[in-house]
Amino acid sequence: MSSLRNRIAALLIVSIVAVIALATVVADRTLQPPPPDRAMEPLARSLAFAVTMAERDPSLRQPGYFQIQRKPPDGDLDPLLSDFLEKSLARVGEPRTAMVLRMRRNPAPVAAIALKTDGWLISEIPHMGPPPGGWKSFGMWIGLIILGSAAVSIFAARKITRPLDMLENAAASIGPDGSLPHLPETGSGEIRATARALNELSRRLKAAMESRMRLVAAAGHDLRTPMTRLRLRAEFIENDEERAKWLADLEELDAIADSAILLVREEVSQDSIKTIDIGRLLGEIVSELSDLGHAGALDFTAPDAPMTIKAAPHALKRALRNLVLNAVTHGKKAYIDLTGDDREIVVTIRDEGPGIPQELLGRVFEPFFRVDLARRKSIPGVGLGLAIAKEIIERFGGRITIANHKKQGLIQTVIFVRAA
């Protein structure tokens, strides 16, 4: 009931049922038969005339004229109608003993009027109440109204909220590069307007993303020439300490430019997608880092059964390598665990480092972010490793989270959709 569609449908159902119920009540009050005391007097005139004729001409008592019985028929006495009938007979003629009886198998009541001579005149009178099973018919009528109004309301709510569905689906289908799929501009005017607006938004967003990537790539590329000149000039500085500082700063600038270009390259990369055994890929990463001197800082055992996903091999290897290298660089040791089920594969990388302050965890994937706010170079890196890894992982339908371990260190969790 929390969705707008359900609320609109419920509002329409309640409104339709309320209007029809109100109309039904008004019609029932307006078209209802007159009260028994008013309807009984015309009937009493006819019955009084019949009684008079039966008493004056005994030949009329034969079948076909009047029904005369020695005693009233068996039935349930209706005291209210009997009183109305006796009073009406008194007003139109002379007082008579009369009763109105309810027969079990006949919905119409029966009037029995005592004759001055022996016998009773028996006559059916019009049934002025609701028909038998009236409440059942009324219940079926209301049920039919509710079912019909529910069908109409749900259909109308779906039509009304279809543009919102388009917005929701478009937002859910935004790619890692910020692109939106093209929507067909068909249907009603509102649908076409919504699709046209989303397509225009997609076009502008794509143009802005491409402009940003071109700017970053151009800046990173254009920085190389002045940095090369600065490096050559720094070589002529006679003071060894001062020269070393210059060269260190230039190396940092060079690393930042290379990382920026690499980030843009990953965003526009169109590597071919293949089926990859992620356990084997992690084994290759551990082997390469072991050769670089991190053998004692890595703990990983590949599972026996293959765990496959769909991704570009080189890009995914770069992303996971950044995460593992981040753990061994900042956390002293990396414990890599690979688990999965029929739908997902989970890679967990835990380290023994100091972790990240809780208030800074939300910024770890920002480009050039470093926990060391003074950007000291005690630990190498420019703060783009996690940003690049996140870009690659999300491009292949995965997701990554980073959290502090309860005891010590950081936990990097990557979840992939398992290949069919």
Side-chain angles (χ1 to χ4, degrees):
M1 188 57 69
S2 59
S3 69
L4 180 61
R5 176 182 298 172
N6 292 340
R7 291 181 181 180
I8 292 176
L11 179 61
L12 290 174
I13 292 172
V14 172
S15 302
I16 294 173
V17 172
V19 169
I20 296 179
L22 180 61
T24 302
V25 171
V26 171
D28 178 70
R29 296 297 181 187
T30 305
L31 303 177
Q32 155 173 84
D37 56 342
R38 295 183 182 179
M40 192 62 73
E41 187 165 330
L43 179 62
R45 293 180 185 275
S46 300
L47 293 175
F49 178 76
V51 170
T52 302
M53 295 298 294
E55 289 177 342
R56 290 182 180 180
D57 188 355
S59 64
L60 296 178
R61 299 186 182 186
Q62 298 177 4
Y65 293 95
F66 304 108
Q67 184 178 1
I68 305 298
Q69 296 182 4
R70 299 184 63 83
K71 61 179 182 178
D74 294 333
D76 298 326
L77 180 67
D78 188 328
L80 183 61
L81 289 181
S82 299
D83 183 60
F84 287 157
L85 181 58
E86 286 187 347
K87 291 180 179 179
S88 298
L89 289 172
R91 284 196 299 270
V92 300
E94 55 183 303
R96 299 275 184 172
T97 300
M99 62 182 72
V100 178
L101 302 171
R102 298 282 185 179
M103 315 305 291
R104 294 183 180 179
R105 296 184 179 181
N106 188 0
V110 174
I113 303 173
L115 302 176
K116 290 181 179 180
T117 58
D118 188 18
W120 293 76
L121 185 142
I122 310 299
S123 176
E124 287 188 359
I125 61 177
H127 177 59
M128 292 177 288
W135 286 110
K136 185 182 295 184
S137 301
F138 182 74
M140 293 176 63
W141 164 251
I142 293 298
L144 183 61
I145 291 174
I146 293 175
L147 291 177
S149 60
V152 172
S153 301
I154 292 173
F155 176 77
R158 289 178 63 87
K159 285 290 186 181
I160 293 172
T161 59
R162 189 177 174 189
L164 299 180
D165 290 339
M166 291 182 63
L167 291 174
E168 181 181 357
N169 295 332
S173 59
I174 295 177
D177 58 350
S179 61
L180 290 169
H182 182 78
L183 299 175
E185 299 179 10
T186 58
S188 62
E190 293 79 5
I191 300 297
R192 291 197 303 272
T194 303
R196 192 179 304 114
L198 289 175
N199 289 332
E200 180 65 17
L201 173 64
S202 175
R203 186 187 65 78
R204 293 184 179 183
L205 183 59
K206 185 177 181 180
M209 293 288 292
E210 292 176 351
S211 176
R212 186 203 67 167
M213 289 186 290
R214 284 195 299 268
L215 176 63
V216 175
H221 183 271
D222 292 345
L223 280 174
R224 292 182 182 276
T225 300
M227 284 192 299
T228 301
R229 291 199 300 265
L230 288 173
R231 189 177 290 106
L232 291 175
R233 292 173 184 173
E235 293 292 344
F236 292 98
I237 297 176
E238 296 181 357
N239 188 305
D240 294 341
E241 183 178 354
E242 189 68 20
R243 183 172 62 252
K245 291 180 179 179
W246 272 84
L247 292 176
D249 290 340
L250 288 171
E251 287 179 3
E252 183 177 0
L253 287 174
D254 195 36
I256 292 174
D258 288 342
S259 298
I261 294 173
L262 180 61
L263 178 61
V264 173
R265 187 178 301 160
E266 289 300 338
E267 290 187 356
V268 299
S269 176
Q270 299 294 332
D271 292 346
S272 58
I273 306 296
K274 299 180 180 178
T275 301
I276 303 171
D277 182 357
I278 197 168
R280 182 177 178 181
L281 186 65
L282 286 171
E284 294 176 1
I285 294 172
V286 169
S287 177
E288 292 174 2
L289 293 180
S290 297
D291 294 339
L292 295 176
H294 299 289
L298 295 166
D299 185 347
F300 172 68
T301 301
D304 296 332
M307 295 188 179
T308 57
I309 63 171
K310 296 284 188 180
H314 297 295
L316 184 62
K317 185 175 183 180
R318 186 181 300 115
L320 295 177
R321 188 177 187 277
N322 284 351
L323 298 180
V324 176
L325 187 59
N326 183 69
V328 297
T329 302
H330 300 274
K332 301 178 183 178
K333 189 169 184 177
Y335 299 90
I336 306 170
D337 188 26
L338 180 61
T339 59
D341 54 25
D342 295 337
R343 295 182 299 173
E344 294 181 335
I345 294 176
V346 182
V347 180
T348 305
I349 304 171
R350 181 176 63 87
D351 60 52
E352 297 179 346
I356 297 177
Q358 195 67 30
E359 64 273 12
L360 298 179
L361 274 176
R363 301 179 54 197
V364 293
F365 295 114
E366 295 179 4
F368 304 107
F369 171 76
R370 290 172 62 86
V371 177
D372 184 359
L373 299 180
R375 296 185 62 84
R376 293 192 298 266
K377 294 297 295 178
S378 57
I379 298 177
V382 297
L384 273 176
L386 289 177
I388 294 174
K390 183 175 184 292
E391 171 69 28
I392 296 173
I393 290 169
E394 290 185 349
R395 192 198 316 159
F396 302 126
R399 57 187 187 273
I400 177 173
T401 59
I402 293 182
N404 288 311
H405 193 265
K406 293 181 179 179
K407 295 182 179 179
Q408 181 183 5
L410 205 66
I411 299 179
Q412 303 174 93
T413 305
V414 183
I415 302 176
F416 294 103
V417 177
R418 190 161 193 157

